[in-house]
Amino acid sequence: MDVEKVFHMNGGVGKTSYAKNSSLQKKASDRVKHIIIQTVEELYLETSPKSFGIADLGCSSGPNTLSIIKDIYQAIRGISHKIMHECDEFRVYLNDLPTNDFNSIFKALPEFHLMLRMDQKNGVPSIFMGGYPGSFYGRLFPNSSLHFVHSSYCLHWLSKVPSALYDEQGRSINKESIYISESSPEVVPQAYCKQFQEDFSLFLRSRSEELVEGGRMVLILLGRRGKKHVDRGISVLWDILSRSLAILVSQGEVEQEKVDSYEVHFYAPSCEEIEEEVRKEGSLKLERVEMCELEKSEQSMDYSTKVAMAIRAIQESMISNHFGERILDSLFENYARLVHEEMIKEDIKHITFVLVLRKI
């Protein structure tokens, strides 16, 4: 499966859209927003450019991207006014894969520009915004064109499913699992880790070329606590999806062979794995690493349904491409029920890493 041609968050503003089902990501991002604002203010004090380049990588199609752009814009306006060195223009590059619903963002831009003008009494600098489709695992922008790069909950998605997960006949060696599990052969976590290393290294090299000297990145991604690949924070959500598919197999709705051939292009790195790739790349300094845990989750069926809808908004494109659309409703009804059962036993706490990097 060609991830770049298939994978996207659900577009539009309907019931199953990412726009309607990304509040959990927004809540998590808001908890670390102060790090983004502090980084942007420090960057502007050091560089004070007249034209400020910002990229949001993995912008998706919901309201979250414009919310963070507004926060960055207001932070720079505030600090530039304080030091009496105004920024004349902002260049905002919104990036995601070509299949992303960029139109939903573009439709919101007139209201977004109006809101910025209403917030500023003494006029506003020019702000130029555009969509830049393509994989961020490679070059996207001209040399030294960016001052600040932001990416929220995207870098745990790999460029592809690791090829080492399949034997010579193209059959998965990770039977009855769609991600790393307790029953996975040792080669499975190794393959996922190697793919992450290749992807993240390419990401760092590409952004280093595009950032100005002293430019910053704030990257927010899911991860894991230690060396062990299977933990309750992340692995359990994929295990629940495997179990939800197994129910459909038992009901004759899905063939077992179809399930066995489905793997996710996801990896939750450890802090040590992230630090190692930054060290090897060499041109970026990891100035700050924060590990955050979400607050205790609600143990209600409503909350479990919200989790299921969030996963559906993210995974529907890949699942429907592999299994067909007809299983989606029943699959995620099962998923919500199983999430609820798991959370009654023990809370599911995801680990989020917040990385602040500086171009040396």
Side-chain angles (χ1 to χ4, degrees):
M1 186 186 300
D2 190 333
V3 169
E4 191 168 340
K5 292 180 179 178
V6 176
F7 183 54
H8 59 85
M9 307 296 107
N10 279 357
V13 292
K15 181 182 176 181
T16 62
S17 68
Y18 185 78
K20 294 291 187 184
N21 295 284
S22 55
S23 61
L24 296 176
Q25 292 91 322
K26 179 68 164 64
K27 183 179 180 181
S29 295
D30 283 348
R31 287 194 65 198
V32 300
K33 186 170 69 175
H34 65 283
I35 298 175
I36 298 171
I37 301 307
Q38 181 183 340
T39 302
V40 165
E41 289 177 342
E42 290 174 355
L43 169 61
Y44 192 80
L45 285 172
E46 289 178 17
T47 58
S48 302
K50 285 291 187 180
S51 178
F52 196 90
I54 305 165
D56 186 21
L57 306 183
C59 63
S60 189
S61 58
N64 293 355
T65 186
L66 295 183
S67 176
I68 194 60
I69 294 300
K70 179 188 176 186
D71 292 335
I72 294 168
Y73 173 87
Q74 290 177 333
I76 295 173
R77 287 284 286 157
I79 199 71
S80 64
H81 184 69
K82 193 176 291 185
I83 65 173
M84 293 184 290
H85 186 94
E86 297 293 336
C87 184
D88 291 339
E89 66 179 26
F90 291 81
R91 292 169 284 111
V92 180
Y93 307 94
L94 303 176
N95 158 260
D96 213 310
L97 293 175
T99 47
N100 183 57
D101 181 14
F102 284 100
N103 282 340
S104 290
I105 302 175
F106 297 155
K107 288 175 183 176
L109 288 182
E111 185 177 343
F112 178 73
H113 284 285
L114 180 62
M115 177 179 60
L116 293 184
R117 286 195 294 271
M118 290 175 65
D119 284 349
Q120 303 293 333
K121 297 178 181 178
N122 301 320
V124 295
S126 300
I127 179 165
F128 303 99
M129 304 181 71
Y132 285 75
S135 172
F136 50 52
Y137 294 124
R139 288 294 302 272
L140 288 166
F141 311 109
N143 287 346
S144 303
S145 59
L146 302 175
H147 295 86
F148 183 73
V149 172
H150 169 263
S151 182
S152 181
Y153 292 102
C154 298
L155 282 162
H156 42 249
W157 297 111
L158 302 175
S159 65
K160 63 179 183 178
V161 174
S163 55
L165 296 184
Y166 302 96
D167 63 20
E168 292 179 357
Q169 285 74 43
R171 295 172 302 197
S172 173
I173 61 172
N174 195 28
K175 300 293 183 185
E176 298 182 4
S177 297
I178 63 173
Y179 183 57
I180 304 167
S181 69
E182 294 286 4
S183 62
S184 297
E186 190 175 338
V187 69
V188 170
Q190 292 172 353
Y192 272 108
C193 183
K194 183 180 178 183
Q195 189 63 53
F196 169 77
Q197 291 168 339
E198 292 176 3
D199 286 345
F200 193 52
S201 174
L202 180 55
F203 176 90
L204 294 174
R205 291 199 307 272
S206 300
R207 302 297 82 76
S208 179
E209 295 287 334
E210 295 160 356
L211 281 166
V212 300
E213 185 177 335
R216 303 290 206 283
M217 291 197 288
V218 174
L219 311 177
I220 304 168
L221 69 157
L222 293 171
R224 67 184 200 277
R225 275 194 175 84
K227 291 184 179 180
K228 188 178 179 182
H229 285 88
V230 180
D231 67 10
R232 186 165 179 80
I234 297 296
S235 302
V236 69
L237 294 177
W238 296 119
D239 178 62
I240 291 172
L241 188 54
S242 291
R243 287 157 55 194
S244 301
L245 287 165
I247 292 171
L248 297 185
V249 171
S250 70
Q251 295 171 343
E253 296 294 320
V254 176
E255 295 177 2
Q256 184 63 52
E257 286 184 9
K258 272 286 189 182
V259 176
D260 287 342
S261 62
Y262 186 71
E263 310 286 344
V264 294
H265 65 292
F266 173 94
Y267 185 70
S270 67
C271 186
E272 291 75 18
E273 288 167 347
I274 292 169
E275 291 173 340
E276 176 64 12
E277 292 310 308
V278 175
R279 185 193 64 77
K280 286 194 296 187
E281 194 282 327
S283 69
L284 296 159
K285 180 182 177 182
L286 188 57
E287 293 196 320
R288 183 174 181 177
V289 182
E290 297 277 344
M291 187 178 77
C292 308
E293 205 175 63
L294 282 182
E295 300 166 358
K296 184 175 175 61
S297 307
E298 303 168 30
Q299 291 184 350
S300 67
M301 194 61 204
D302 284 347
Y303 182 79
S304 299
T305 300
K306 183 185 288 188
V307 172
M309 292 297 285
I311 298 295
R312 177 172 179 169
I314 295 167
Q315 276 288 290
E316 181 170 317
S317 61
M318 300 297 282
I319 291 172
S320 60
N321 180 268
H322 188 81
F323 297 100
E325 295 181 2
R326 66 179 182 82
I327 72 163
L328 291 169
D329 289 343
S330 54
L331 175 66
F332 285 101
E333 286 170 10
N334 292 334
Y335 192 93
R337 179 174 51 79
L338 292 174
V339 167
H340 184 56
E341 291 174 4
E342 282 291 335
M343 293 182 70
I344 289 173
K345 296 179 196 173
E346 185 184 349
D347 197 14
I348 302 171
K349 293 186 176 180
H350 319 306
I351 297 300
T352 292
F353 287 125
V354 185
L355 318 175
V356 179
L357 297 104
R358 180 179 185 273
K359 170 76 178 290
I360 301 171

